[in-house]
Amino acid sequence: MNLVMIGTGYVGLTTGVGFATLGHQVVCVDIDAAKIARLDLGEVPFYEPGLQEALTHVQEKGRILFTTDLKSVIGGAEVIMIAVGTPPKSTGEADLTALFAVADQIGSLLDHEVVIAVKSTVPVGTNRKVIAHIREAMEKAQRAELTSLINIVSVPEFLREGSAFEDFLQPDRLVIGSDDKLAGQTVERLHKEMMAPRVMTTLESAELIKYAANAFLATKISFINEIANLADRVGADVRHVAEGIGHDHRIGPHFLKAGVGYGGSCFPKDVSALEQISGANGYSFKLLSAVIEVNNRQREMFFKRMMEKLGGVKGRRVAVWGLAFKAHTDDIRESAGIEIAQRLLAAGADLVVYDPQAMDNAKAVLSHHVEFAVTAMDAATGADVLVVLTEWPEFREVSFSTLHDRMIEPTIFDGRNHLADLNLQSQGFVYHGVGLGTYDAA
Ligand code: UDX
């Protein structure tokens, strides 16, 4: 099928390249001319495992094009998919400016029957507003007679950064929300190569499924972090508690890793948006408020405990391993690593940082007082303390005997329990994890 994908961020580009990989003819549109120029040259402008190879492949096959000019390509579209950003406002409410601007632009150009598929994460009820914007723009363009041919479908994404391309090709489920049966079937046809179960539902249900999924996952994380904080105080090990409950098929083993909490461009935004949507619809979603509070407090507690144990870091060389909000991405949005690095700086630390992928993004936000090391071991050399904040596999592969020799004080604070099973105490390290039962109540 002929697909026009509007928005080339990690969702739009991954999804566009994904559909081209499945054999569809895809045109990706973005207003960012520099980004489109790089994509046209075959360069993925961010780190996402597998995406670069896939883009090269589909470009060689001539199945994907990139342009800033929607007008020149909209005529050939059977489906127009919208994947523009809906970032949070200061109130936590989603900012739909870009979305409605795209809707108005589509409406001003549309002259044939087409299905509009909204991939962006949007507050419940937004799809109806998008189609209203499109139809209104069509009427202004003297095409009122065609407005009944245009339908909208909500197709939320469940892509995880760092495995987004794999998640696209092998989704756990497809959620397709629409009022028009034929439109829903058209979007289902676009996904015909995917064997995942279909949830064919209404627009509002599809919109709410997206928020409910992320909010539930965030709830699982805040729950295990609360258990970790209690485990520290009763001498239990949260990893064993997570394993012990995770074998229950009703709970499952995933998203039960305790640490400094969740970050990224989705969980913080979507949980706050759902809280805001609830309030705007007259409902106080108490659980969500607690999930957010627990997550914010988790970073604070980790930092305070570190300050207590170290007696402050003023003038001390502190190494941070990990700035991306999680491993296998270069994304630092709402990253615990960045937030704790900034707290350490503010506390007077002589800070040296390292991340395998996120250094360029980190340089844009961390002050110039920070030293950016070339390797993990360089960062730790001469350090009084090492703080691990992102679970990159390479941090487990260093020579810990060399690390011990290179550090002034072999003390490690591990915000992801990433090294917890390596028994570093036996190699002479002072090791502090999260929820491992070694909490000093003092
Ligand atoms: C998430 C959802 O998983 C995905 O379905 C949705 O489409 C977008 O948001 P993403 O934010 O890319 O994906 O990453 P995810 O792997 O979900 O991790 C989110 C955050 O939770 C990260 O900061 C991660 O470190 C943290 N996390 C995850 C934990 O603290 N503990 C866990 O057990 C799992």
Side-chain angles (χ1 to χ4, degrees):
M1 290 177 72
N2 291 319
L3 170 68
V4 166
M5 171 66 74
I6 302 178
T8 57
Y10 102 86
V11 172
L13 182 63
T14 303
T15 305
V17 170
F19 279 120
T21 303
L22 293 177
H24 298 283
Q25 201 59 35
V26 179
V27 180
C28 292
V29 182
D30 202 300
I31 55 173
D32 182 336
K35 186 188 275 192
I36 289 294
R38 279 186 69 181
L39 286 164
D40 202 35
L41 289 173
E43 287 174 43
V44 173
F46 48 80
Y47 179 71
E48 185 58 55
L51 192 56
Q52 181 59 66
E53 298 80 355
L55 172 60
T56 304
H57 174 70
V58 291
Q59 271 183 316
E60 281 164 1
K61 297 273 187 186
R63 283 205 227 117
I64 197 165
L65 294 173
F66 297 96
T67 180
T68 57
D69 181 6
L70 175 61
K71 183 172 185 175
S72 66
V73 296
I74 195 169
E78 293 173 81
V79 176
I80 300 175
M81 191 167 281
I82 305 175
V84 296
T86 54
K89 292 180 184 169
S90 56
T91 56
E93 193 182 352
D95 181 349
L96 304 176
T97 310
L99 180 71
F100 290 145
V102 164
D104 293 341
Q105 187 189 14
I106 290 170
S108 68
L109 297 169
L110 265 187
D111 61 2
H112 70 292
E113 183 174 354
V114 77
V115 173
I116 309 292
V118 176
K119 177 64 70 179
S120 304
T121 301
V122 293
V124 180
T126 302
N127 271 270
R128 291 190 194 285
K129 293 175 185 169
V130 170
I131 196 67
H133 270 257
I134 292 175
R135 288 176 173 151
E136 202 176 300
M138 291 177 76
E139 284 158 12
K140 279 186 192 150
Q142 314 304 324
R143 293 196 187 97
E145 73 285 1
L146 292 177
T147 54
S148 61
L149 296 178
I150 313 302
N151 284 291
I152 197 160
V153 177
S154 168
V155 198
E157 52 83 18
F158 303 95
L159 308 179
R160 293 165 296 164
E161 290 190 50
S163 57
F165 192 59
E166 181 190 317
D167 289 349
F168 170 82
L169 292 174
Q170 292 159 353
D172 287 340
R173 76 311 205 169
L174 289 177
V175 173
I176 298 176
S178 67
D179 278 352
D180 179 276
K181 196 172 173 56
L182 283 178
Q185 287 167 352
T186 300
V187 171
E188 203 198 353
R189 192 153 41 88
L190 185 64
H191 295 82
K192 71 178 184 310
E193 295 84 359
M194 295 180 188
M195 308 319 290
R198 271 83 167 136
V199 179
M200 306 302 286
T201 184
T202 63
L203 289 170
E204 284 73 19
S205 299
E207 291 165 330
L208 188 51
I209 286 168
K210 170 63 186 177
Y211 282 108
N214 272 6
F216 184 77
L217 291 168
T219 301
K220 262 190 116 172
I221 293 168
S222 281
F223 175 78
I224 201 65
N225 281 334
E226 292 264 71
I227 291 289
N229 298 335
L230 177 58
D232 261 332
R233 287 161 174 73
V234 298
D237 186 324
V238 69
R239 295 171 299 164
H240 299 166
V241 175
E243 186 185 357
I245 65 174
H247 282 296
D248 184 323
H249 72 279
R250 297 167 301 173
I251 296 173
H254 303 297
F255 277 66
L256 289 175
K257 279 192 202 145
V260 286
Y262 60 79
S265 64
C266 292
F267 281 4
K269 161 175 83 76
D270 293 352
V271 176
S272 296
L274 187 56
E275 187 186 38
Q276 197 275 334
I277 293 163
S278 304
N281 287 278
Y283 184 71
S284 167
F285 200 142
K286 293 196 183 312
L287 183 60
L288 276 192
S289 310
V291 166
I292 295 168
E293 186 191 334
V294 166
N295 194 58
N296 293 338
R297 195 183 61 183
Q298 200 63 11
R299 300 173 178 197
E300 174 87 28
M301 283 169 63
F302 178 80
F303 179 76
K304 278 191 176 159
R305 185 156 69 101
M306 196 159 43
M307 290 303 107
E308 279 166 20
K309 290 191 177 296
L310 294 172
V313 290
K314 195 163 178 51
R316 297 172 73 173
R317 187 168 166 84
V318 179
V320 168
W321 283 359
L323 297 170
F325 82 90
K326 66 174 206 176
H328 310 297
T329 181
D330 60 359
D331 194 340
I332 60 168
R333 287 176 286 184
E334 301 288 327
S335 164
I338 292 288
E339 179 180 322
I340 290 170
Q342 288 168 329
R343 283 172 180 268
L344 287 163
L345 264 181
D350 169 14
L351 193 65
V352 52
V353 299
Y354 172 74
D355 185 285
Q357 289 291 339
M359 296 295 255
D360 289 346
N361 288 335
K363 283 172 185 167
V365 298
L366 286 178
S367 84
H368 53 282
H369 297 303
V370 175
E371 183 185 333
F372 290 87
V374 175
T375 68
M377 193 58 83
D378 284 354
T381 299
D384 295 314
V385 58
L386 169 62
V387 191
V388 180
L389 293 167
T390 310
E391 66 285 12
W392 285 105
E394 71 174 71
F395 297 160
R396 291 173 56 86
E397 287 144 24
V398 303
S399 155
F400 286 96
S401 57
T402 305
L403 180 66
H404 187 281
D405 296 345
R406 298 274 188 91
M407 290 181 74
I408 304 294
E409 292 288 331
T411 299
I412 297 177
F413 286 85
D414 186 348
R416 296 287 177 196
N417 291 336
H418 186 46
L419 310 177
D421 63 337
L422 301 180
N423 193 14
L424 294 177
Q425 295 90 325
S426 66
Q427 300 181 59
F429 287 91
V430 174
Y431 176 85
H432 302 284
V434 176
L436 304 182
T438 53
Y439 181 82
D440 301 337

